[in-house]
Amino acid sequence: MTDTLSTAVSHELDENALLEAYRTMRTIRAFEERLHDEFATGEIPGFVHLYAGEEASATGVCAHLDGRDSIASTHRGHGHCIAKGVDVKAMMAEIYGKKTGSCHGKGGSMHIADLSKGMLGANGIVGGGPPLICGTALAAKQRGTGGVGVAFFGDGASNQGTTLESLNLASVWNLPAIFVAENNGYAEATSSSWSVAADNIADRAAGFGMPGVIVDGFDFFAVHEAAGEAVQRAREGGGPTLIEVKFTRYFGHFEGDQQTYRAKEVAEARAKLDCLKRFRARVTETGQVDAARLDAIDTQVADLIDAAVEEAKAAPKPTAADLETDVYVSY
Amino acid sequence: MNDAIRKVVMPKWGLSMTSGKITEWIVAEGEEVSDGDDLAEIDTDKIAGTLESADAGVLRRVVADVNEDVPVGATIALIAPADVPDSEIEEAARLAREELESGAVEEAAGPVTGTVTVDGRSLAYATLGDGAEVVVLVHGYGGDKNSWLFVQEPLADGRTVHALDLPGHGESAKDVGDGSLDTLAGAVLGFLEQRGIERAHLVGHSLGGAVVTAAAVADPARVASLTLVAPAGVGPDVNAEYLRGFAEATSRRELKPHLGALFADPAQVTRQLADDLMKYKRLDGVDKALRTLLGTLLDGDAPALDVVPLLAKAELPVTVVWGSDDAVLPVSNARSLPDPDAVHVVEGAGHMVHMEKPNALVAVVSEKRR
Amino acid sequence: MARTISYREALNEALAQEMERDESVIVLGEDNAGGAGSPGEDDAWGGVLGVTKGLYHRFPGRVLDTPISESAFVGAAIGAATRGLRPVAELMFIDFMGVCFDQIFNQAAKFRYMFGGKAETPVVIRTMYGAGLRAAAQHSQALYPIFTHIPGLKVVVPSSPYEAKGLMIQSIRDSDPVIFCEHKAMYDTTGDVPEDSYTIPFGEANVVRDGDDVTVVAIGRMVSVAEEAARELSTSGIEVEIIDPRTTSPLDEETILESVENTGRLVVVDEATPRCNLATDISALVAKEAFGSLRAPIEMVTAPHTPVPFSDALEDLYIPDAQRVANAVKSVAGWTR
C-alpha cells in the first residue's frame, strides 16, 4: 500500500509555476531565518516554532490548492500560512503582537490564521487540526464546491487519537481530505523513530483503508507530485490520502531550544539536502529557469522581509479597548 | 330548581383556560347586584380579570371559596331575588357544591378554531355560538383573536361570533404583503367569502376599526353594521412612541413599560400579558409584519391613516366606542367623526376597552342588534 | 398554532424547520439516523433517545451517522462550521465531553478571539445531561458549568418544550458555538409549543413565576422542581419568584439582580455538583452586586460533591427535589438578624 516515490521531475510546472514555488520557499526560509535572529534579540514575545528546512512540504502541497480549499496547521505554522497566501507583513506584525497583525495581536505565532485564505490557523494543540479538516472537507463535499481539506501535522500528532480518529472518519465518509504527516524526526525532543510504533507513519494508512505515500521532504518535486495525485483523487471523489513527508527541521523545537538531544544531522542536511539548493540546481541545470531570475527573487524576498520586520516593529500594539472584543459574533 | 335562581359560573376566558381561581369576592352574600356589576376577581394561569354579573338580584350564596381551583363552567355563586326561600337556595347550593367536589362539571364548550386561505395567506379564527346573526371581531395592531376573550362569550348568546387573526398576527400567516388597509380589509372580506357569510356585523378595535371600515366600503353588501372600538384613522392624534416601542421591543423588559399605554388601570399589565406578547413577537416574520404595519399606521409621529372620508361614504349603521382614558388613540380623536355625539365613551377604560370594560362593549353591540 | 407536544418533539420540530429553511444546516452524530451500513432499517433509531427521528428520510444526505469517534466528528462539525455549514452535532451524553473537549474549548471556543475577530463558527453541539434515569456516574452528570466557564461558548439549558424549540432555533441561527444541554429525563415532558418557527434570544432570563418573598434561580430541569416547591410554599404564604436563566452563558444578570433587590432573599437550585457551579456563580454575583439588598444568607440547593450514584435509593437522594428547595426557601424566608 505504501509507495516510496523516487525523485521525479514534474512536467506539469511551467516557468511561472516554478518561479512561484521558488518564491514561496525562499519567502518561508527568509521569514524563519530572520525570526531566528530577531528572537535572539528578545524583542519577540512568547513561543516561536520555525519551519526552516521544511519549505518543500507546504509549498509542494499548497501549489495544488485554490480558494475552495482549506488547510489546518501545527505549532510550526508560518510556512503553511505563507504557502496558502497569508499576507507576510501581517504575519510578521502578528508575531510581534501588534494590532496590525493577521489576528490583531490576539493570536501570535501559534495561532496565525486567515480564514479568508482557507488557512484555519497554526494550532497550539498537537493533533488539533485533523478533525477540523474532516469538517472543512465535509463542507466542501456537502456544498459540492470541489474543494479539499489538507491537514498538516507532525510526527508527534501522528500518535494523537484525534489524528487517528480523523483518518478513520475521513475514510468512512469518503471525504476529500489529505493528511500530510510532516515527519521531521522529533516531536519536541522525542525522536519519532522511538515514538511512532510503525516503521513509517504512512504505513498506518492501510489500517484506515486509504493510500499512504512516503516522500522525500527535501524534494519539492516529489512532494508536488504526491500531493497532486492526492488532491486530484480527493477532488474526483476518490477519498482521502495520507502523505508522509520526511525531512529535518533546521532549528530547535522552539526558539531557545538547545537541541542537546540531536546529533549533527542538521548541518549535513543543510549542506547536502536543502530543498532550496536542490530546487535551484534542478531547474537551472535543466534550463527551465534562468538563475538570474531566482537571484532576483532572493533580493525581492529579502527586501520584503526587511520591510515586514521594520513595519512590524513600528506598528502599534492593541490597547485595553481590544481586550474584551472578538470573543463572540453577537453578545 | 327554581328558574329564578341564576347560577354564576366560572367563565372561559380564552382557548386554553380550563379552570380559574377566585382571588376576591367583590360582592358579599346578601348584597344586591345589577347586570354588569363587578362580582369577583378571577385569576387563571394566563390572565386575571373581573367577572361581571349577567343577572340582577341578590347574591344569595357564594359556592366557591377564594383561592379554590374551580373548573370552567362550574357554579361559583347563586343570584336570586330576595323572595326565593332560603331552603331552595340551600338545596341549589348543596347540589352545586356536590357537583364541584365530584369534579363532574361539564366543561363549557370553548370556541372552535379553524383556518381559511385568502390571497395565499392562512387566516386563523375562533368561532363561538351558532345564531343566524353573524358578528366578526377584528383586533388591532399587535393583538389577536384572544384579545376578545371577555366579550366573545357574552356576544355569542344567540349569535355566531367569529374572532379573526389578521395577517401578521396570532396564528395567521405572518406575511402582510404591502401591509396596506386594502390588503387587511381584503383579508376580512376573504374570510367572509370563504366561510360563506353573506352578511355580518363587523367589530374592529384600533387598526381593526380602520380595517373593518375599509371592508365595509369595499363590499357594502356584506356588512350589516360597524362597531368601531377606539378606531385608528380617526382624528389627528396617535401615540407614536407606543407603537414604535411595541414594534421594536425585543425583550419583555423592553416591552413591558410600553404596555402601560394600553390600559387605564396599570395593574392590567401583567407579566403573563407581556410574556404572551413576547411569545408572539418571537415568531418568525412577526418583526417584519409589525414594522410594515407601522408604516401603515404612522407617518412620522402623525397618523398615516384617515378613514373619516370612508365613514362618510359608508351607508350603514356605525357605532363608535372609546375609552375615556385611551393613551394610544385619545378619545379626543372622536371629534373628527362625522357624528361625534354618537360616540359611547366608556369611563375608566383605556385603549383596550374590550378587555378592561367588556360589558360596556357587549351592551353597545347587543343593543344595536336588538 | 400552539399545541401540546413533548420536549423531544419540540426539538425535532426545531431541527426540521431549520433544515427546511436553510440547507446549510446538517445533523450529525452517533446513530442520529441509526443503522448506517447495517442490513436493516436506515433510520432505525433517530438518536439514542429518538430526538432526530425522521430527519434522515426527510432531508436526504443531511443527517450523517458517525463512528463512535467524538473527537473526529465534533471537530468535523466545528471545521465545517468555519466553511459555510451550520452543523448540529450530537454529543450523545454530556459526560462524553471528556473525549472531545479539546475540539470544543481549545478550537471552536477560541477561533474568533485568537483569529482577531475574523472567524465565525456557527456550530451547535446538542448533548444530554442530568440524572434520574439510573444511568449512573458516566451518563448522568450536569456538566454545563464546565462549558459555562469557557469564553467563546454559549450554553443553553432549556427548561420546557416551548423553551427547547425557540432556543434550538436561536442556537442554529446564532453564529457562535453553542452547547445545547437537553435534560434526558425531560424528553417526554409536554407543553404548549407554537407550530410556527420562533426564536428566544440568548441572555434573557424567563421569570417563570412572580413572587415578592424569595427569589429562586433554577437551571434546566430544576425549574420544574422549583415550581413544584413554589406551589407548596404558596399555600403556607410564601410567594417565590422563579427565574430561569435559559442560557448560563450569556447570563442575564440584570433580571436576577432586580428580583433579589425586590425580595432580598435568594435560593439557587442547580443539579450540578457544588464546586464552581451555577449556584456558586450566581450567589457570588448577587453577593457582590446586590449585597445591600440581601436580608438573609444565600442558600444553594445542589447535588452533593460526588459522582452520580446508580442505585435508585441513592440517585433520588442525589437529585435536588422540591422538598429540599422548599426547606431552603423557608430557611431564608424565616431568617432574621
Side-chain angles (χ1 to χ4, degrees):
Chain A
M1 198 91 188
T2 306
D3 307 317
T4 302
L5 289 186
S6 59
T7 303
V9 176
S10 173
H11 298 290
E12 298 161 29
L13 292 157
D14 62 16
E15 188 184 19
N16 278 339
L18 290 169
L19 289 171
E20 209 39 56
Y22 182 78
R23 181 186 297 278
T24 301
M25 291 198 291
R26 174 55 69 195
T27 305
I28 298 170
R29 177 67 55 84
F31 192 94
E32 300 294 62
E33 290 191 326
R34 182 64 177 269
L35 274 181
H36 179 73
D37 296 343
E38 295 292 336
F39 192 89
T41 69
E43 222 181 310
I44 294 175
F47 303 126
V48 175
H49 308 79
L50 300 180
Y51 195 69
E54 307 186 12
E55 292 85 349
S57 174
T59 308
V61 173
C62 292
H64 298 282
L65 306 184
D66 59 37
R68 300 168 292 174
D69 307 318
S70 51
I71 65 169
S73 172
T74 68
H75 280 54
R76 207 171 301 291
H78 306 163
H80 305 126
C81 285
I82 291 170
K84 195 71 171 70
V86 181
D87 182 70
V88 168
K89 288 182 171 179
M91 287 177 61
M92 192 64 84
E94 184 61 32
I95 291 165
Y96 273 86
K98 298 303 177 76
K99 184 158 182 165
T100 53
S102 314
C103 307
H104 304 321
K106 286 178 167 174
S109 166
M110 259 190 293
H111 308 303
I112 293 190
D114 186 344
L115 270 75
S116 71
K117 295 282 199 296
M119 168 48 187
L120 265 73
N123 208 309
I125 304 300
V126 174
L132 300 172
I133 284 307
C134 287
T136 67
L138 174 66
K141 186 178 175 179
Q142 292 282 130
R143 299 171 67 207
T145 64
V148 303
V150 179
F152 291 98
F153 60 97
D155 44 287
S158 79
N159 298 323
Q160 281 280 34
T162 49
T163 304
L164 301 168
E165 283 190 31
S166 298
L167 289 166
N168 185 62
L169 185 66
S171 209
V172 167
W173 278 350
N174 195 39
L175 294 175
I178 295 104
F179 297 89
V180 181
E182 297 184 322
N183 185 353
N184 63 23
Y186 292 92
E188 301 186 355
T190 299
S191 164
S192 60
S193 63
W194 178 82
S195 67
V196 177
D199 292 341
N200 304 289
I201 295 168
D203 294 348
R204 291 176 172 168
F208 297 105
M210 70 175 76
V213 186
I214 298 168
V215 294
D216 173 358
F218 288 113
D219 183 349
F220 165 82
F221 297 98
V223 176
H224 186 266
E225 183 161 325
E229 281 179 21
V231 170
Q232 188 182 351
R233 178 161 50 240
R235 290 204 201 285
E236 289 170 355
T241 304
L242 172 59
I243 300 172
E244 180 179 4
V245 182
K246 295 197 184 205
F247 41 30
T248 301
R249 61 167 143 83
Y250 287 179
F251 297 119
H253 169 62
F254 54 87
E255 284 311 274
D257 177 3
Q258 296 305 306
Q259 303 184 69
T260 51
Y261 50 88
R262 290 231 260 190
K264 303 288 179 204
E265 72 261 22
V266 174
E268 196 177 303
R270 273 195 185 251
K272 295 186 183 161
L273 303 172
D274 183 73
C275 60
L276 278 155
K277 285 182 184 161
R278 280 170 71 180
F279 184 95
R280 175 182 280 262
R282 169 85 48 80
V283 298
T284 52
E285 276 163 23
T286 58
Q288 286 169 288
V289 176
D290 185 6
R293 301 198 64 179
L294 301 178
D295 295 342
I297 287 173
D298 290 351
T299 308
Q300 288 160 9
V301 167
D303 291 347
L304 172 67
I305 300 300
D306 281 346
V309 171
E310 198 175 320
E311 287 173 28
K313 285 181 174 176
K317 290 192 172 178
T319 66
D322 300 310
L323 179 63
E324 295 187 37
T325 59
D326 300 329
V327 183
Y328 296 97
V329 177
S330 60
Y331 284 84
Chain B
M1 194 172 86
N2 187 335
D3 283 350
I5 303 175
R6 313 291 300 179
K7 290 176 174 174
V8 180
V9 299
M10 178 60 70
K12 186 173 179 73
W13 288 336
L15 290 176
S16 62
M17 178 171 170
T18 55
S19 68
K21 223 190 258 185
I22 296 147
T23 53
E24 184 193 349
W25 279 104
I26 297 166
V27 179
E29 278 184 14
E31 286 181 1
E32 292 250 353
V33 289
S34 306
D35 186 357
D37 280 0
D38 290 349
L39 276 182
E41 299 288 353
I42 292 178
D43 202 1
T44 76
D45 56 352
K46 285 276 180 202
I47 193 156
T50 307
L51 178 67
E52 297 176 357
S53 180
D55 294 288
V58 174
L59 182 72
R60 297 290 297 269
R61 186 61 54 92
V62 168
V63 176
D65 295 328
V66 167
N67 278 334
E68 186 177 356
D69 202 39
V70 180
V72 167
T75 303
I76 57 174
L78 301 171
I79 291 174
D83 58 7
V84 174
D86 274 350
S87 58
E88 288 188 27
I89 299 291
E90 201 60 51
E91 178 61 10
R94 192 183 59 76
L95 290 171
R97 195 65 224 171
E98 267 177 16
E99 185 193 53
L100 189 58
E101 273 160 19
S102 70
V105 178
E106 209 170 294
E107 202 197 306
V112 177
T113 57
T115 58
V116 294
T117 301
V118 176
D119 293 336
R121 297 185 187 96
S122 167
L123 299 179
Y125 63 92
T127 304
L128 208 55
D130 54 5
E133 198 172 44
V134 178
V135 177
V136 177
L137 308 172
V138 181
H139 61 81
Y141 180 68
D144 65 22
K145 57 185 180 304
N146 293 322
S147 64
W148 303 102
L149 53 92
F150 297 123
V151 301
Q152 193 175 7
E153 190 184 353
L155 281 177
D157 185 8
R159 304 183 190 88
T160 302
V161 184
H162 303 286
L164 184 65
D165 281 336
L166 286 172
H169 292 80
E171 287 161 358
S172 290
K174 299 305 177 291
D175 163 44
V176 296
D178 63 359
S180 68
L181 209 50
D182 287 346
T183 300
L184 299 176
V188 174
L189 292 170
F191 166 75
L192 296 177
E193 194 179 329
Q194 294 278 322
R195 293 291 304 153
I197 300 165
E198 287 175 9
R199 204 166 152 78
H201 301 281
L202 301 185
V203 179
H205 171 246
S206 197
L207 172 62
V211 170
V212 296
T213 303
V217 171
D219 193 354
R222 275 196 199 273
V223 184
S225 76
L226 290 179
T227 303
L228 310 181
V229 185
V234 174
D237 295 318
V238 60
N239 184 344
E241 194 193 342
Y242 162 76
L243 291 174
R244 276 196 290 266
F246 182 89
E248 286 164 12
T250 58
S251 68
R252 181 159 48 87
R253 191 182 287 117
E254 283 172 26
L255 180 66
K256 208 173 166 186
H258 295 289
L259 299 180
L262 291 171
F263 299 96
D265 173 11
Q268 294 273 346
V269 184
T270 59
R271 184 179 57 72
Q272 188 65 48
L273 177 75
D275 275 353
D276 285 349
L277 285 169
M278 278 316 304
K279 280 186 179 177
Y280 158 66
K281 282 176 64 71
R282 288 180 195 126
L283 295 172
D284 277 6
V286 168
D287 185 59
K288 187 177 174 209
L290 289 177
R291 285 172 196 272
T292 303
L293 294 175
L294 201 57
T296 303
L297 285 164
L298 286 184
D299 177 8
D301 281 349
L305 288 175
D306 184 5
V307 299
V308 173
L310 298 180
L311 283 171
K313 248 194 280 182
E315 291 178 356
L316 76 173
V318 177
T319 313
V320 180
V321 180
W322 223 304
S324 63
D325 299 348
D326 194 323
V328 176
L329 295 166
V331 67
S332 57
N333 276 352
R335 288 200 286 269
S336 302
L337 287 164
D339 181 8
D341 295 335
V343 176
H344 298 256
V345 176
V346 180
E347 293 300 328
H351 189 57
M352 304 301 281
V353 184
H354 49 312
M355 293 184 80
E356 260 182 312
K357 297 287 174 187
N359 278 17
L361 180 61
V362 171
V364 169
V365 177
S366 303
E367 185 186 339
K368 193 166 62 175
R369 311 292 155 248
R370 280 183 181 138
Chain C
M1 176 167 191
R3 68 264 109 98
T4 299
I5 59 173
S6 70
Y7 192 83
R8 175 191 289 108
E9 289 165 333
L11 289 165
N12 184 280
E13 187 168 276
L15 291 167
Q17 287 179 352
E18 285 307 282
M19 293 180 85
E20 190 71 52
R21 191 186 67 85
D22 178 355
E23 66 174 21
S24 70
V25 178
I26 63 164
V27 163
L28 66 159
E30 291 152 4
D31 293 310
N32 268 4
S38 312
E41 241 183 281
D42 276 343
D43 189 20
W45 280 12
V48 277
L49 293 183
V51 175
T52 48
K53 183 80 180 166
L55 300 177
Y56 176 84
H57 289 297
R58 203 167 147 194
F59 303 102
R62 292 167 61 196
V63 176
L64 308 178
D65 275 344
T66 69
I68 296 179
S69 189
E70 286 85 359
S71 272
F73 79 76
V74 169
I78 291 162
T82 68
R83 299 293 280 178
L85 295 186
R86 289 186 173 267
V88 181
E90 182 182 294
L91 174 59
M92 189 185 296
F93 293 102
I94 201 169
D95 316 71
F96 303 168
M97 62 173 270
V99 293
C100 62
F101 199 36
D102 177 69
Q103 290 293 320
I104 298 171
F105 92 107
N106 264 327
Q107 311 296 337
K110 295 188 169 79
F111 281 168
R112 188 162 181 81
Y113 194 82
M114 286 195 305
F115 301 163
K118 296 180 195 167
E120 289 191 8
T121 313
V123 66
V124 181
I125 298 171
R126 289 182 45 236
T127 185
M128 283 186 264
Y129 82 96
L133 296 192
R134 319 307 182 204
Q138 294 171 346
H139 286 66
S140 302
Q141 298 168 86
L143 296 175
Y144 45 80
I146 294 180
F147 295 102
T148 306
H149 183 71
I150 309 297
L153 300 180
K154 290 174 176 171
V155 184
V156 182
V157 195
S159 62
S160 73
Y162 175 82
E163 300 287 327
K165 179 174 171 184
L167 289 167
M168 175 55 79
I169 293 176
Q170 174 65 34
S171 298
I172 293 170
R173 295 183 192 176
D174 199 277
S175 291
D176 290 309
V178 175
I179 311 297
F180 194 96
C181 306
E182 303 163 12
H183 199 295
K184 67 176 83 63
M186 287 183 71
Y187 281 129
D188 293 320
T189 304
T190 58
D192 284 353
V193 178
E195 270 174 43
D196 287 345
S197 298
Y198 59 94
T199 53
I200 298 175
F202 291 166
E204 186 189 323
N206 185 27
V207 182
V208 178
R209 184 184 194 281
D210 290 320
D212 289 327
D213 298 326
V214 177
T215 300
V216 175
V217 180
I219 315 292
R221 195 177 81 77
M222 291 298 108
V223 172
S224 58
V225 172
E227 284 182 285
E228 188 187 337
R231 282 191 291 273
E232 187 211 312
L233 289 159
S234 181
T235 62
S236 51
I238 299 173
E239 294 302 335
V240 164
E241 182 144 295
I242 300 175
I243 295 174
D244 168 11
R246 287 179 171 144
T247 53
T248 60
S249 176
L251 182 69
D252 181 353
E253 301 183 354
E254 206 176 330
T255 296
I256 296 169
L257 293 171
E258 273 174 12
S259 178
V260 175
E261 279 159 15
N262 177 42
T263 62
R265 298 168 204 274
L266 174 67
V267 173
V268 192
V269 191
D270 186 353
E271 193 182 320
T273 50
R275 296 286 92 81
C276 296
N277 66 2
L278 266 295
T280 58
D281 188 64
I282 290 168
S283 299
L285 168 78
V286 168
K288 180 170 180 293
E289 302 292 338
F291 183 71
S293 303
L294 284 173
R295 282 179 271 161
I298 296 166
E299 277 285 344
M300 293 180 249
V301 182
T302 71
H305 198 58
T306 69
V308 182
F310 168 64
S311 167
D312 57 353
L314 296 176
E315 194 186 32
D316 290 347
L317 290 171
Y318 176 93
I319 306 166
D321 62 15
Q323 195 53 53
R324 284 179 59 200
V325 175
N327 291 346
V329 168
K330 284 178 190 162
S331 107
V332 303
W335 201 89
T336 48
R337 268 178 214 279

